[in-house]
């Protein structure tokens, strides 16, 4: 009995146990936990990335989406990808802090996957910092509303689908770098909706 207990104590965490722990302790879905724990290396990558940012759901989304997509396209194993777990954690932190948007993050992640670079460095070098300056966003919004008076009138009259048009125009004008939450808030205010 004592020898069996000793052997059990030295066994690594089994995939089912890890899956259950990820769901229970980290709050990720059963599906995500099942996919992530299919590979011990992927589970380790996920857990390390979470340890760097404390955002298990966000990391799971990146692992399940962009990471596995690019890994499959390149036909690589998790150990052979240039993105390090700590770098993915740092990318999630940049998103959570509002430094970059999700759309900018996808561009940064693709560059990380190509070069193995650090997200902060890529954001700096490529000038991808999200614009949260309300006066700059407001000036762009005012310009776009002035250039599209008919659409603004239709939107105010109840054609709600046009709101997306205005958001798109602002984002296009600002190179996709405007903070989308601030854009939505200021647009509603300026359009009186």
């Amino acid at each position: 009995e004592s020898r069996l207990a000793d052997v059990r104590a030295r066994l690594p965490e089994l995939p089912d146990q890890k899956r259950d722990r990820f769901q229970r302790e980290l709050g990720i879905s059963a599906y995500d936990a099942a996919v992530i724990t299919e590979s011990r290396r992927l589970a380790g990558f996920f857990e390390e990335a979470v340890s760097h940012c404390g955002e298990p759901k966000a990391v799971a989304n990146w692992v399940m989406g962009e990471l596995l997509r690019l890994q499959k396209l390149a036909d690589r194993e998790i150990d052979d990808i240039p993105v390090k777990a700590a770098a993915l954690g740092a990318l999630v932190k940049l998103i959570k802090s509002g430094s970059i948007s999700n759309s900018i993050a996808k561009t940064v992640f693709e560059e990380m996957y190509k070069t193995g670079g650090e997200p902060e460095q890529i954001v700096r070098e490529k000038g991808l910092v999200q614009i949260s300056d309300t006066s700059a966003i407001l000036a762009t919004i005012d310009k776009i509303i002035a250039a599209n008076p008919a659409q603004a009138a239709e939107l105010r009259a109840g054609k709600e689908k046009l709101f997306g048009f205005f958001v798109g125009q602002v984002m296009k004008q600002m190179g996709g770098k405007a903070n989308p939450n601030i854009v939505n808030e200021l647009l509603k205010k300026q359009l009186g909706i």
Side-chain angles (χ1 to χ4, degrees):
E1 272 310 309
S2 68
R3 185 164 184 221
L4 280 175
D6 184 47
V7 170
R8 280 190 193 110
R10 287 188 278 139
L11 282 175
E13 185 178 35
L14 298 173
D16 288 349
Q17 294 168 324
K18 193 177 289 281
R19 183 193 65 229
D20 292 343
R21 181 172 59 82
F22 283 178
Q23 286 178 254
R24 186 179 61 253
E25 293 178 9
L26 301 178
I28 64 172
S29 73
Y31 176 77
D32 289 357
V35 172
I36 290 169
T37 57
E38 278 182 13
S39 156
R40 190 178 70 176
R41 292 179 180 137
L42 184 61
F45 181 94
F46 166 77
E47 214 163 6
E48 185 181 342
V50 169
S51 75
H52 287 279
C53 67
E55 297 286 342
K57 289 180 183 179
V59 172
N61 289 340
W62 280 94
V63 167
M64 298 284 298
E66 293 301 303
L67 180 76
L68 290 180
R69 181 182 71 82
L70 292 173
Q71 182 186 352
K72 186 175 183 175
L73 281 175
D75 194 27
R76 292 178 158 174
E77 292 298 319
I78 191 74
D79 292 339
D80 299 332
I81 65 168
V83 176
K84 301 299 174 224
L88 178 56
L91 179 67
V92 169
K93 280 175 123 174
L94 286 174
I95 298 164
K96 292 297 175 183
S97 72
S99 298
I100 60 173
S101 66
N102 275 321
S103 60
I104 291 172
K106 285 186 179 185
T107 303
V108 173
F109 187 80
E110 286 182 8
E111 187 66 23
M112 288 166 58
Y113 199 88
K114 286 180 197 169
T115 65
E118 293 296 318
E120 298 91 345
Q121 178 185 356
I122 293 167
V123 167
R124 232 182 359 263
E125 287 174 358
K126 297 197 178 282
L128 297 173
V129 175
Q130 182 169 258
I131 299 169
S132 294
D133 175 10
T134 54
S135 60
I137 295 171
L138 199 52
T140 303
I141 287 172
D142 289 342
K143 189 167 105 178
I144 289 168
I145 291 172
N148 298 284
Q151 289 88 343
E154 286 180 49
L155 177 62
R156 289 181 183 115
K159 195 169 181 183
E160 294 175 14
K161 288 186 178 184
L162 280 172
F163 188 75
F165 164 79
F166 282 100
V167 171
Q169 291 298 308
V170 173
M171 295 306 277
K172 182 179 176 184
Q173 188 76 26
M174 299 192 82
K177 296 179 188 175
N179 182 318
N181 294 332
I182 295 174
V183 169
N184 285 335
E185 182 184 317
L186 292 176
L187 258 173
K188 286 177 183 174
K189 188 175 176 184
Q190 291 303 99
L191 289 165
I193 57 171

